């Protein structure tokens, strides 16, 4: 089996992952992957923004950890990247981060639908009760479309993340998916198949098959990511992700170097 590159993995610097990059790399080699990429949660301008990301003064250490893994595993291609939060008004900050290192790609993710509401933090589940689920999903997909259109990212992370805790709106969300995908299709951005969803309450890859069928119809490119927060999660459920990609019609996926893509056959 020729595995796709695993482009979504974290490091202990984000304060909720374990294992050094070299340990993730060792796992990738053991599985037979030939390319991976680290995309840890990017710092914010203010370190007290939240508690689940590296601090700004840890960015050098992050890059050095990835460089060390590159030196330890010269036969494994290891990309240097970030998972950056898209929030309205943060575009200049993301550009600032982009200029600091020779990154290979940026994953743009929406976790926040308001300054005090994330869609993926279990601590925020009670806050959903004051909100209409469809409204939360609508804000989420509007922000996701803005992220795609911003041109700041090569990849859109875990595109249907609000399903994580199975808080589904009563309404059909297909129009939300279509609006996002129509806007994303006008850009060059890829959507990742993120297998972490299989490890969450929703027990489903991000994004769903229905979403991915709509993406394939619009020829939106794809990447693959385990969203590993521990070495054992590297490449997890990639067979299922490959099956899903092929089933909806994908024949290639993207790899990135120095923020330029190449298409690779699946
Ligand atoms: Zn994320
Ligand atoms: Zn992640």
């Amino acid at each position: 089996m020729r595995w796709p590159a695993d482009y979504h993995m974290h490091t202990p610097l984000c304060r909720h992952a374990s294992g050094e990059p070299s340990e993730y790399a060792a796992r990738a080699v053991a599985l037979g992957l030939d390319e991976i990429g680290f995309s840890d949660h990017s710092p914010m301008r203010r370190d007290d923004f939240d508690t689940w990301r590296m601090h700004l003064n840890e960015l050098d250490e992050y890059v050095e950890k990835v460089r060390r893994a590159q030196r330890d595993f010269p036969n494994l291609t290891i990309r240097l990247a970030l998972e950056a939060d898209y929030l309205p008004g943060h575009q200049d900050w993301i550009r600032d981060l982009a200029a600091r290192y020779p990154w290979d790609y940026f994953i743009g993710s929406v976790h926040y639908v308001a300054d005090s509401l994330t869609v993926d933090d279990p601590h925020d589940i009670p806050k959903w009760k004051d909100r209409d689920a469809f409204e939360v999903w609508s804000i989420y997909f509007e922000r996701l479309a803005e992220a795609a259109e911003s041109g700041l990212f090569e990849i859109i992370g875990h595109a249907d993340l609000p399903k994580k805790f199975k808080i589904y709106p009563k309404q059909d969300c297909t129009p939300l998916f279509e609006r996002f995908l129509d806007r994303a299709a006008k850009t060059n951005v890829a959507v990742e198949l993120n297998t972490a969803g299989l490890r969450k309450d929703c027990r489903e890859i991000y994004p769903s098959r229905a979403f991915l069928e709509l993406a394939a119809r619009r020829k939106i490119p794809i990447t693959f990511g385990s969203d590993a927060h521990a070495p054992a999660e590297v490449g997890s459920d990639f067979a299922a992700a490959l099956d899903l990609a092929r089933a909806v019609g994908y024949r290639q996926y993207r790899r990135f170097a120095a923020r330029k893509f190449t298409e690779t056959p699946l």
Side-chain angles (χ1 to χ4, degrees), residues 13-236:
L13 290 172
C14 70
R15 296 164 164 74
H16 61 282
S18 59
E20 290 302 314
S22 290
E23 296 172 67
Y24 289 65
R27 176 70 180 157
V29 169
L31 290 170
L33 272 68
D34 62 9
E35 183 166 330
I36 60 173
F38 287 90
S39 49
D40 208 359
H41 294 290
S42 66
M44 289 292 190
R45 215 186 279 275
R46 289 178 54 121
D47 289 336
D48 61 358
F49 184 86
D50 58 25
T51 57
W52 46 271
R53 63 186 64 251
M54 71 182 87
H55 291 167
L56 183 53
N57 66 6
E58 291 169 326
L59 195 58
D60 293 344
E61 188 184 345
Y62 170 63
V63 173
E64 180 45 37
K65 280 175 186 285
V66 175
R67 297 281 183 242
R68 196 175 310 143
Q70 290 169 333
R71 287 193 297 274
D72 289 348
F73 295 86
N75 296 324
L76 176 67
T77 300
I78 302 179
R79 301 298 182 194
L80 175 67
L82 283 175
E83 178 180 16
D85 282 69
Y86 176 79
L87 283 130
H90 282 227
Q91 291 90 330
D92 283 348
W93 174 238
I94 297 162
R95 265 180 225 111
D96 180 329
L97 287 171
R100 289 176 187 237
Y101 286 97
W103 308 104
D104 290 308
Y105 59 91
F106 268 19
I107 297 178
S109 291
V110 173
H111 303 102
Y112 285 90
V113 291
D115 288 349
S116 59
L117 179 59
T118 69
V119 291
D120 65 326
D121 185 339
H123 297 104
D124 283 354
I125 295 176
K127 296 182 190 167
W128 285 71
K129 295 205 168 61
D130 310 325
R131 299 255 195 167
D132 174 55
F134 191 69
E135 184 214 341
V136 173
W137 281 57
S138 299
I139 298 167
Y140 173 86
F141 279 104
E142 170 58 28
R143 287 191 172 192
L144 206 65
E146 288 170 18
E149 289 169 339
S150 72
L152 296 169
F153 311 111
E154 282 71 32
I155 303 166
I156 292 295
H158 41 59
D160 61 356
L161 185 63
K163 74 181 176 187
K164 178 175 176 179
F165 303 119
K166 297 182 80 171
I167 309 175
Y168 294 102
K170 286 192 263 322
Q171 295 90 332
D172 176 14
C173 287
T174 308
L176 301 183
F177 303 161
E178 288 181 319
R179 245 192 320 270
F180 162 72
L181 291 166
D182 285 342
R183 290 167 70 179
K186 295 197 185 92
T187 74
N188 193 27
V189 82
V191 165
E192 68 167 1
L193 270 75
N194 180 316
T195 57
L198 290 167
R199 310 193 293 272
K200 311 299 181 190
D201 294 351
C202 60
R203 301 255 171 245
E204 199 177 80
I205 288 171
Y206 306 115
S208 67
R209 180 177 176 134
F211 183 111
L212 213 57
E213 282 171 351
L214 297 167
R217 217 174 287 162
R218 290 162 176 80
K219 303 202 174 349
I220 291 176
I222 54 167
T223 62
F224 292 82
S226 63
D227 216 338
H229 284 70
E233 292 173 350
V234 172
S236 69

